[in-house]
Amino acid sequence: MARKPLIFAAGLGLVTALALTGCAGGGGDTAEKPSDSKPEAGAALTIAKPDGAITTESNNPWSGDSSANKLGYKNVIFEPLAIVNPTGDNETTPWLAEKVEWNDDYTQLTVTPRTGVKWNDGEDFTADDILFTFNLIKSTPAFDTGNIQLSDIKKDGDDVVLTFAESKFVKQAQVLNIQMVPEHIWKDVEDPTTFTNENPVGTGPYVLDKFSSQSVTVTARDDYWGGTPAVPTLYYVSYNDNTALTTALASGEADWAQAFISDIEGQYLSKDEANIFWPANVMAPDVLFLNTQEKPFDDVAFRKAVNMVIDREAHTTIARENAGSQLTSITGLPTPVGEKYIAPEYQGEEFEIDVEGAKKLLEDAGYTWEGEALMDPDGEPVEFTLEVPQGWNDYVTGISLIADQVKKTLGADAKVDTPDVDTWWNAKRTGDFDAIMHWTDSGTTPYDLYSDTMDGRWLLAGDQVDYNFGRYDSPEATELLNTYANAASDEERTAAIEGVQKIFVEDVPVIPVGTHPILAEFNTRNYVGWPSDEDPYAPGDPLQVAAVQVLMNLEPAE
């Protein structure tokens, strides 16, 4: 089969953690720094989290609760074959690979290892390390968090060929973003799931220098294959809570983080003109998951009516405090990142508040009003409850705005409930709710958005599901999604996703409300070259695999 080459076009100039939702930021007043402060040559960068003390050191990149994972410093020590960008043009940048090539149906990947790469202990990085890493994942189910379904891996001359049990077209990042580990270190590990990896050996531009319960220090290598990074030292610091984190970011004590900061203008941006907030637009909206098995959302007419009266501008400006652009396309795809996937019949079709149209739709479906109260075709009052966990301030505000709007425009008795996180999480998975606000996964195609909201395969898990929380059941949508994921041609994929969008728009399985960007805060006091709307080469989240890409793009400020 013909292979699709992905070349190293952007070089070093140029990623399912979701943007932090519901973390109410609040910070006390901080002293403003002078905007004309001079850059500091060779300054360190402090990368911040709000999780309190990390008391146990573990540098195992595969362990979800390791300090390397929680603080994110694994991303500058261990590197992937390639980095897939969820924002911008969704490009793939080969990294430890010179080149990566997929076959037509994306069931086979051919990797050409980069030459001249050394592990930080001086050993050469080779194709054998790639084979070892993927065989380690294949033989250790706990490490296969992306369910890559690797069926075979072998060397073919200087290349490595990986074969998968199903197409990886919609899950390319789950394969390419996997970080490599050295065979000569890990081959003698008895139990890789409990290995703490005290002296981490990686190919990345930094090495571990010091660990404490409050901070981790990594320092730049002078023999890194990609050149010497501009930032010589990184401090990974865990603050006690989001308030302390916000204060540190505002004052310049911390330089780089991913956090939702309430009143970001007053608490952060206004403190120094060098402080930057960038919400990277990705293909993941916030949606209302609706219980399509129970009243009132088992009726498509009511789902459509609610969809027609939601004030998405208010959600963006009030609930999300402009942390991201407004969701406009009726397909639910954030733009411009999703623009190229919008079906021709929906190009330019945007959400508009249409109260009279919604009322007419309800009247035609047999709804009536008693005074201001909406009555369903059975003569019963229409009522439902919107739920998100207490403390998720942006989501609480968001569903409160929706409840007020639906009451005011349609007369339905829309209530708001904010249970504790555990109660809400269980109700979400079991379908014990009327409507909840939730995000979808983000990928480089629309697949995750539509699969997470419509795919009947989620329902095969039984009483508790991990997505499609509203139990939307459309065999046609499920089949089209399967076709899209496994198609052998672009034409077949295009036809499938256009069919999926038609069902999404006409049947309203969920209600798209707003964008769900990847958030980042950083400053330009000492370094420039950060990603932005003008140059979205990577998300700005320091906890993602693309953090190494951002760091290698930074240059000293003048």
Side-chain angles (χ1 to χ4, degrees):
M1 296 182 183
R3 289 174 178 163
K4 295 176 171 57
L6 293 163
I7 61 175
F8 194 46
L12 290 175
L14 286 179
V15 224
T16 268
L18 291 167
L20 205 62
T21 292
C23 290
D29 291 337
T30 59
E32 294 189 24
K33 287 191 171 184
S35 59
D36 62 348
S37 57
K38 302 299 183 184
E40 180 185 342
L45 282 182
T46 296
I47 299 168
K49 286 198 74 181
D51 299 338
I54 307 265
T55 57
T56 303
E57 178 182 3
S58 171
N59 304 308
N60 187 329
W62 307 108
S63 175
D65 61 356
S66 71
S67 55
N69 251 317
K70 287 181 176 180
L71 290 174
Y73 62 89
K74 73 164 188 173
N75 297 313
V76 300
I77 296 175
F78 304 98
E79 296 184 299
L81 297 175
I83 299 174
V84 182
N85 186 7
T87 189
D89 292 329
N90 302 143
E91 69 274 10
T92 293
T93 303
W95 206 257
L96 286 181
E98 294 278 359
K99 183 172 59 176
V100 292
E101 298 175 313
W102 293 97
N103 65 356
D104 284 342
D105 63 2
Y106 289 82
T107 58
Q108 194 170 85
L109 174 68
T110 300
V111 178
T112 302
R114 185 175 297 281
T115 59
V117 176
K118 289 186 178 294
W119 298 100
N120 61 32
D121 64 357
E123 295 284 332
D124 288 334
F125 165 78
T126 70
D128 289 332
D129 294 306
I130 300 174
L131 256 71
F132 176 82
T133 298
F134 279 99
N135 276 321
L136 179 63
I137 294 170
K138 188 171 182 282
S139 63
T140 314
F143 289 173
D144 191 10
T145 56
N147 189 27
I148 65 172
Q149 297 183 316
L150 181 65
S151 58
D152 184 56
I153 178 171
K154 63 184 179 182
K155 284 200 289 188
D156 180 9
D158 294 332
D159 294 339
V160 177
V161 180
L162 296 88
T163 304
F164 304 91
E166 65 177 22
S167 173
K168 296 290 110 180
F169 175 73
V170 299
K171 299 291 183 183
Q172 295 174 56
Q174 277 82 343
V175 176
L176 295 174
N177 285 357
I178 288 173
Q179 292 158 322
M180 300 293 104
V181 295
E183 179 183 23
H184 65 279
I185 299 293
W186 286 70
K187 67 180 180 180
D188 297 323
V189 174
E190 185 174 342
D191 184 354
T193 65
T194 60
F195 181 41
T196 59
N197 199 19
E198 184 176 347
N199 298 303
V201 174
T203 60
Y206 293 86
V207 294
L208 180 63
D209 183 36
K210 298 176 184 175
F211 177 91
S212 76
S213 62
Q214 289 298 325
S215 68
V216 172
T217 305
V218 299
T219 55
R221 293 172 58 179
D222 58 10
D223 61 346
Y224 177 56
W225 64 267
T228 303
V231 185
T233 306
L234 302 175
Y235 300 118
Y236 287 80
V237 178
S238 185
Y239 291 87
N240 285 336
D241 52 35
N242 219 47
T243 299
L245 172 61
T246 301
T247 301
L249 284 168
S251 67
E253 177 184 299
D255 300 293
W256 191 8
Q258 178 258 77
F260 178 80
I261 299 176
S262 181
D263 183 21
I264 194 162
E265 178 63 37
Q267 295 287 351
Y268 175 63
L269 294 175
S270 66
K271 303 301 182 182
D272 190 326
E273 64 182 16
N275 288 345
I276 306 296
F277 170 60
W278 185 51
N281 195 2
V282 295
M283 258 181 286
D286 285 327
V287 305
L288 287 183
F289 278 91
L290 313 170
N291 189 334
T292 61
Q293 302 299 308
E294 303 287 344
K295 279 187 173 185
F297 293 114
D298 61 343
D299 184 357
V300 65
F302 186 69
R303 299 199 297 266
K304 286 183 174 180
V306 174
N307 192 34
M308 293 166 69
V309 302
I310 287 180
D311 188 341
R312 291 171 175 86
E313 181 180 3
H315 178 81
T316 301
T317 59
I318 299 173
R320 294 289 289 167
E321 299 188 38
N322 292 312
S325 57
Q326 185 175 330
L327 188 67
T328 57
S329 173
I330 63 173
T331 64
L333 280 169
T335 54
V337 68
E339 189 76 45
K340 62 186 174 183
Y341 295 104
I342 296 176
E345 65 178 305
Y346 300 127
Q347 286 285 345
E349 294 292 320
E350 297 187 350
F351 289 116
E352 294 182 357
I353 297 175
D354 184 4
V355 176
E356 293 308 312
K359 287 183 173 179
K360 177 66 164 56
L361 185 67
L362 291 174
E363 287 173 352
D364 291 347
Y367 289 78
T368 57
W369 282 264
E370 288 188 4
E372 298 293 323
L374 180 64
M375 312 298 288
D376 70 20
D378 296 327
E380 298 177 349
V382 177
E383 58 183 15
F384 63 90
T385 300
L386 292 157
E387 297 179 66
V388 296
Q390 58 188 340
W392 290 19
N393 292 5
D394 52 338
Y395 271 17
V396 172
T397 301
I399 64 171
S400 298
L401 288 170
I402 292 170
D404 290 343
Q405 181 78 348
V406 171
K407 285 179 187 177
K408 180 177 71 174
T409 60
L410 301 181
D413 184 11
K415 305 178 182 67
V416 169
D417 187 28
T418 56
D420 63 83
V421 171
D422 289 342
T423 299
W424 179 82
W425 204 269
N426 183 66
K428 174 188 75 171
R429 297 194 65 207
T430 59
D432 185 19
F433 62 86
D434 296 328
I436 59 170
M437 182 90 81
H438 202 282
W439 57 90
T440 72
D441 286 329
S442 170
T444 56
T445 74
Y447 177 82
D448 291 295
L449 159 59
Y450 296 128
S451 177
D452 288 353
T453 56
M454 305 171 68
D455 201 330
R457 284 173 292 184
W458 290 108
L459 308 182
L460 300 177
D463 293 336
Q464 295 198 2
V465 301
D466 291 316
Y467 261 118
N468 192 1
F469 305 116
R471 272 66 179 176
Y472 179 73
D473 189 6
S474 168
E476 182 184 1
T478 301
E479 180 58 31
L480 285 168
L481 285 163
N482 184 59
T483 298
Y484 183 77
N486 293 284
S489 71
D490 290 338
E491 292 76 17
E492 192 177 3
R493 274 188 287 272
T494 298
I497 205 63
E498 289 179 0
V500 168
Q501 285 183 18
K502 191 172 186 65
I503 297 172
F504 186 88
V505 171
E506 294 184 354
D507 214 30
V508 194
V510 299
I511 296 178
V513 177
T515 57
H516 191 91
I518 299 176
L519 308 181
E521 293 84 16
F522 44 81
N523 64 68
T524 56
R525 279 184 285 276
N526 297 308
Y527 298 99
V528 296
W530 300 93
S532 64
D533 283 334
E534 293 72 31
D535 188 14
Y537 63 85
D541 180 359
L543 304 181
Q544 296 204 23
V545 68
V548 66
Q549 193 175 18
V550 174
L551 285 161
M552 294 308 297
N553 199 63
L554 296 184
E555 297 177 350
E558 295 182 357

